[in-house]
Amino acid sequence: MSNSLEEIVEGWRREDEEAREARRRSADWSYIERQREPIKTALKLLVETGDLWVAAKIAGLPIDEFNKIRMKAKIPVVV
């Protein structure tokens, strides 16, 4: 009835990879590449991890300002 720990971890891994792929497909890579550092790196990290808080910290911006840039870069929030 219950899943083993390995099955649960594998399910999380699959979900993370699906979310990453969705962000990669949706992202406006041309817009991302035109950004100055460290915003460009922060956007790429966001695509790979989905971690808005860490990405905003790397960019040196408050989350609300970085979130506006995220939207312009067409990076979806995948839940």
Side-chain angles (χ1 to χ4, degrees):
M1 186 102 132
S2 67
N3 290 336
S4 71
L5 181 57
E6 291 83 15
E7 290 172 324
I8 292 169
V9 170
E10 179 59 24
W12 286 339
R13 190 201 61 73
R14 271 193 316 273
E15 288 175 7
D16 283 348
E17 185 56 35
E18 289 170 7
R20 184 176 298 111
E21 284 302 318
R23 290 188 297 269
R24 286 176 183 161
R25 281 191 309 271
S26 298
D28 181 344
W29 290 101
S30 175
Y31 176 84
I32 292 169
E33 290 298 331
R34 289 192 311 268
Q35 301 311 299
R36 62 177 170 76
E37 290 295 347
I39 293 173
K40 182 191 325 187
T41 296
L43 288 168
K44 289 177 179 181
L45 177 119
L46 180 60
V47 167
E48 292 302 312
T49 67
D51 193 327
L52 185 61
W53 188 84
V54 171
K57 289 293 180 191
I58 289 171
L61 296 170
I63 289 179
D64 61 329
E65 286 182 37
F66 187 73
N67 196 42
K68 291 175 186 174
I69 294 170
R70 175 198 62 82
M71 289 186 281
K72 288 178 183 176
K74 299 179 182 169
I75 301 170
V77 173
V78 182
V79 190

